[in-house]
Each structure stands twice: as C-alpha cells, then as structure tokens.
C-alpha cells in the first residue's frame, strides 16, 4: 500500500456519500458508446503498445503506437513538430483498404494508403481517431491522444 491510497479511499467515500453516481449510469454509458457509430460498421483496432523512444535525448518526442485487429496491424510513429503540431507516419498490414482518414475534433483529413503506408504531415496535438476504409472491412482505432 502506498501513501496515497488512504487519501484516495477517503475521497472515494466522500463522493459516494455526497454525490453518488446514478444507479443506471454504467448501463447508460455502455449503451451510449455502443450507439455512437451505428451509422458506420467499423471493427475496432485494439491498442497493443505505446512507447516513447529516446526519452531525454536530443530529438526526443517520438511516440510509437501499435494497434491490432485479427490479421490487421497498424504501426504509428508520432513526432512532435512543435508544441501544438504532430507528424504521423503510419503503416498498416493485413487489409486491402485504400485510404486512411484522421479525425481530430471537427477536422477530418483523408490520405491514400500506398503499399500500406500513409502519413499525416501536420496534425493538431490532442485526441484523434484514424479510420481505414476502401476494402472489405472498415477499421478504426479507438480515440487516442497525441
């Protein structure tokens, strides 16, 4: 047990007494998430790994993220351009998709897949999601932060 656990236990108890979650909250959240993309039939890729390369060295700020679903694998290399912008180089295998679409807030950018490779030259830092389409199966990453 670390020194913070008693504090977290006290906070949890306080919120359960003063502001308990509604009894139906869990079921409502599951239903809302399930209904989010009813108009799109996408298989969700699973996050396999996320690592920072060369932390603390010159040129750091490189993030590697890997997703997988059945026979499909996606590898992303995210590089900081500045505080607000990122560059994403990606590779996807095991799909016959023809394009990758990145959604960041209200912004959407589509690029072609060329032999499984794609790139987004300038993406705002924050939450994003990438969709792969054009083949038999359409795939999407979960929303993640860059």
């Amino acid at each position: 047990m670390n020194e913070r656990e008693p504090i977290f236990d006290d906070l949890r108890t306080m919120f359960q007494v003063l502001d308990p979650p509604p009894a139906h909250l869990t079921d409502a959240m599951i239903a809302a998430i399930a209904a989010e993309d009813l108009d799109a039939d996408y298989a969700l890729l699973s996050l396999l790994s996320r690592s920072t390369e060369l932390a603390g060295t010159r040129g750091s700020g490189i993030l590697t993220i890997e997703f997988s679903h059945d026979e499909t694998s996606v590898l992303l290399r995210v590089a900081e351009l500045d505080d607000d912008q990122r560059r994403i180089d990606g590779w996807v295998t095991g799909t016959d998709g023809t394009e990758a679409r990145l959604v960041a807030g209200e912004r959407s950018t589509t690029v072609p897949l060329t032999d499984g490779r794609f790139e987004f030259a300038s993406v705002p830092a924050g939450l994003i999601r990438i969709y792969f389409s054009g083949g038999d199966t359409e795939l999407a990453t979960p929303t993640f932060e860059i």
Side-chain angles (χ1 to χ4, degrees), residues 43-49 65-76 91-94 132 139-142:
L44 192 62
L45 291 155
S46 300
L47 177 64
L48 291 182
S49 67
I65 305 172
E66 186 177 4
F67 296 95
S68 179
H69 176 76
D70 291 338
E71 299 297 317
T72 304
S73 294
V74 177
L75 180 66
L76 303 176
W91 298 266
V92 60
T93 61
F132 300 95
L139 298 168
T141 66

Side-chain angles (χ1 to χ4, degrees), residues 49-64:
S49 67
R50 181 179 176 122
S51 63
T52 302
E53 299 173 346
L54 305 173
T57 62
R58 188 172 69 187
S60 66
I62 304 295
L63 180 64
T64 303

Side-chain angles (χ1 to χ4, degrees), residues 13-101:
T13 302
M14 179 189 73
F15 280 110
Q16 286 173 342
V17 171
L18 298 177
D19 188 21
H24 70 285
L25 180 63
T26 302
D27 293 335
M29 290 302 301
I30 290 171
I33 291 168
E36 179 181 323
D37 280 333
L38 286 180
D39 59 333
D41 186 21
Y42 290 103
L44 192 62
L45 291 155
S46 300
L47 177 64
L48 291 182
S49 67
R50 181 179 176 122
S51 63
T52 302
E53 299 173 346
L54 305 173
T57 62
R58 188 172 69 187
S60 66
I62 304 295
L63 180 64
T64 303
I65 305 172
E66 186 177 4
F67 296 95
S68 179
H69 176 76
D70 291 338
E71 299 297 317
T72 304
S73 294
V74 177
L75 180 66
L76 303 176
R77 181 184 176 273
V78 182
E80 286 185 20
L81 298 176
D82 59 36
D83 288 343
D84 299 326
Q85 296 294 310
R86 307 288 185 261
R87 175 185 172 87
I88 299 176
D89 293 288
W91 298 266
V92 60
T93 61
T95 182
D96 56 352
T98 58
E99 62 184 26
R101 180 171 54 96

